[in-house]
Amino acid sequence: MKNKLKNFNFFLFGSMLALIAIGTVAIYSAGHARSEMIFHGMWINNLSTAIFGLILYFMIAMTNYRKILDFFSVPGYVLAIVLLIAVLIFGSTVYGGKRWLWFFQPSEISKLFIIMALSWMLGSDFFKKRGFVLFLICAAVVGVPSLLILAEPDLGTTLTLVPATLLMMLVGRVWRRGLVVIFTIGAISSAAILGAVYEAEKPDCPSQRREQIMKYVPLRPHQIKRVKVFLFPDEDTLGAGYNLRQAKISIGSGGYSGKGIGKGEANHLKYLPQAISMNDFIFCVYAEETGFVGSIVLLMLFGALLLPGAWIAYQSKDATGRLLSLGISTLIFAHVYINIAMSIGLVPITGLPLPFISSGRTFLLTIMLGLGLVQSVSIHREERI
């Protein structure tokens, strides 16, 4: 136990606790602005989930991550596939998507199982050749559950997996030249899609030309609408662009030091839509109440959470621990970046929660389990099974 505590990363743990505390306060504030009484106690649900998550966190942290991956990577991955299929068949439809299976979201826990499976594979001595064949295997491991998540549909969750898994394959020396080519093609394709939507949605674009262009854009109507809001944020401020406009107003009105906890006007006067104030746009609620200072503190805490993850990966004695730490840390970074960036209009709006801050028990547990694995890499990096 003494040796375990010596390698215990207190920066990682302390940052996580601070973010849980901030998230609980933010959920309390956002929930009390809603008229339905059920939302007034959401902060209690978040806190109780965090306490349960802490128990699992320490159980995982004190267990050698190599044993966990050896025993749970393959069964966990298979379970993720089964749950993702089950949610498409039996899941509840909420806001146009089938993402809930009874009381949890399979897509959230699936992200962790995908990273675990990929870490176990690439850290194994079985796959000695790191060429195109291994890339195809990795692509299938990531692609099958990703396609099932896209079918829900949930593009945002799939997007967070892209940087995490690509970085893992790059660090794992899986067909590096090919990965660079694929990344380049992806970047060019994304730019081409943005350019096509911009050209088609210009006010002076004839309807016939618009139809011809949009035939080649592989996006659903609601996704095209979100991209249009990103490209033309001031065009439809009372319609499709309403959420983004109110998000910016909420953040900007917080000023330097904020209006105080529970005193955000955009939240309480319901200018910021209540359906998103507790999850996807909770950063707006927090920024209005705590201002620039509070926002900087939050970003610094995320930095204090992610930098130890990168340091643990650097210190890891084996490829498995390195890839596991990098994958989980990159996944969290992707969530933080996309969520805050969409709130201020830097990327198109997509439904993604902010780690520890947004309301969502499945996501909170998933992130805490993931960080428990990262802590396990720190504690057991010098051990062998």
Side-chain angles (χ1 to χ4, degrees), residues 91-110:
S92 304
T93 302
V94 181
Y95 298 122
K98 282 192 173 184
R99 301 172 189 174
W100 287 89
L101 186 63
W102 299 302
F103 56 88
F104 70 101
Q105 291 179 282
S107 60
E108 297 295 350
I109 195 68
S110 297

Side-chain angles (χ1 to χ4, degrees), residues 94-164:
V94 181
Y95 298 122
K98 282 192 173 184
R99 301 172 189 174
W100 287 89
L101 186 63
W102 299 302
F103 56 88
F104 70 101
Q105 291 179 282
S107 60
E108 297 295 350
I109 195 68
S110 297
K111 291 183 289 189
L112 182 58
F113 283 133
I114 291 169
I115 291 174
M116 289 172 61
L118 207 58
S119 301
W120 178 77
M121 274 180 51
L122 298 181
S124 172
D125 293 331
F126 181 77
F127 298 98
K128 294 182 179 179
K129 292 185 178 181
R130 300 277 156 163
F132 180 67
V133 175
L134 180 57
F135 167 76
L136 289 179
I137 296 173
C138 293
V141 169
V142 178
V144 172
S146 295
L147 289 174
L148 291 171
I149 294 171
L150 277 174
E152 294 183 1
D154 190 353
L155 177 62
T157 294
T158 310
L159 286 176
T160 60
L161 280 169
V162 173

Side-chain angles (χ1 to χ4, degrees), residues 20-37:
I20 290 172
I22 290 175
T24 302
V25 173
I27 292 169
Y28 170 85
S29 182
H32 273 70
R34 301 189 66 162
S35 55
E36 303 93 333
M37 290 298 297

Side-chain angles (χ1 to χ4, degrees), residues 276-293:
I276 56 176
S277 64
M278 295 184 67
N279 36 63
D280 299 345
F281 279 79
I282 198 167
F283 176 74
C284 305
V285 176
Y286 173 82
E288 183 183 12
E289 295 180 351
T290 63
F292 176 78
V293 173

